Amino acid sequence: MKSSDVVRALAPADQAGEDEPLSALMYPLRFLGMGLLIAWLCCTHVASIFPGDVFDPALRSAFDTGMRIGDIGTFLAFVLFAPRIGRLSRHKAFSWAAVALTTAGTAAVGLALIPGGVGEAGIIPASIVTAIGGAVLFCLWAEAYSQMGATRTLMYGALSCIAAAAASFLISTMEAPFGVIATALLPLASLACAHLSFRLLPTERAVAKGVHYPIPWKLIVIMAIAGLLSSFSGAFLSATEYVGAIHRVAATGIVGVVILVMAVSKRDRFDARFLAKVGLPVAVVAFAVIPFVAPMQGYIVSVLMRFAYVWFTFFVLLMLANICYRFEIPSLRLFAIARASSEAALLAGILVRRALWQTDLLADPTTLAGFALAGIVLVLVCVVIWMSEKSVNGGWGASADRLHVPGPRERFMSRCDDLAAQYDLTARETEIMGLIAQRKSRAEIEQELFLSQNTVKTHVRHLYAKLGVHSKTAVIALFEE
């Protein structure tokens, strides 16, 4: 396969062409749109925002439970029907209808049903329906991010966390009922950004008949355990159940800022797996302090666990997106399984903490020590799972009759890896070499890797010296078979 053929395989439907103004305008929509979805998820769980001045703990609990059930049900439906659905982005009418239903449901619950004291029998069905569009949006953005590549996925993911925290903070300053109205409009704005973003992204490959795609279950288990521990940790926030949602908003923004700073300051040495190395000790510390904090200081545990949860979730989703990108694995089923597992674990943790609040167990020092130990054990289980997880290699890709079938993108990236090992290239030089082989211009490389013009020139000069070449044509020739 020639390099020019690989380029078409890597970006079969990239419609950006030479329209740089359109490209420059629409690139930010990728992190803004995802950020608006995260903001909607955050705002609907912050009681001071949704429903605002009117607060009924029983109805709020019913809404949260219904949303979890709706999420899990929708994701399981996607898991079952993923082969028939194919690319979710091509079902525009369905996505608009689902998200419009979510907007209407959010407004109805926040403006009428909860304030009107309709009762759990009315709140739960309405919240189940409201969750459908959120699940659709999550899978749409998963498809988009799975076509961006490692660097862009990392950077846009971090920026989306910052955008989500900023949007949530802005909405929190609004008076009722404007906060609820703004929250209800977030899914529609996110969907508009998603469909515009797909105009600049390669089209996800269709599922080939008779081809099997393995599921990285260990990564999904880590995500589920993180969700369970995060929601369970709220048990130590006595009488302040919904403060945990505020902690998650803050943790989301902090995680985004920290990852962005790390990625910018350590461009050549930043490893996405470092995210797990940071999240693990934070989670251990969160549980270790449980026996030593007073009931009203439970926010310490909550903040630390929310930070660890967001950090772990970011890590797992980034790894899943990278697997989908490199091995051209359809994203819908994979991300639906991951999200269904996470939501089920979150719901289980919520039910456990509500049950604990009905007992005196949290006042017993011995019991608290037991909870702390159990939490640390689960975190260590994550360590064992993570350390035993295979690296992203040929085992993840498509297989037919139990034989691995590498796709064009995998073959191309494997060639990049081989050349990197042969010529002792850095991770950044390898990325730039791959983009040059795809005939990307210097301006496109700067944009994709978030690098300045001088930085790209320096990397290209070092790359050429190591490869012993003097032009893009010579680099492209290295990929000819």
Side-chain angles (χ1 to χ4, degrees), residues 138-206:
F138 175 83
C139 291
L140 276 173
W141 282 113
E143 181 183 331
Y145 274 62
S146 295
Q147 297 302 317
M148 290 186 188
T151 297
R152 283 189 291 173
T153 301
L154 176 69
M155 298 295 283
Y156 281 124
L159 289 170
S160 70
C161 289
I162 298 172
S168 299
F169 174 77
L170 178 63
I171 292 175
S172 71
T173 64
M174 298 180 180
E175 297 290 338
F178 300 108
V180 174
I181 295 172
T183 299
L185 294 175
L186 290 174
L188 285 176
S190 178
L191 180 60
C193 291
H195 283 309
L196 287 172
S197 295
F198 278 114
R199 295 178 58 183
L200 295 176
L201 288 169
T203 301
E204 184 176 275
R205 286 187 166 273

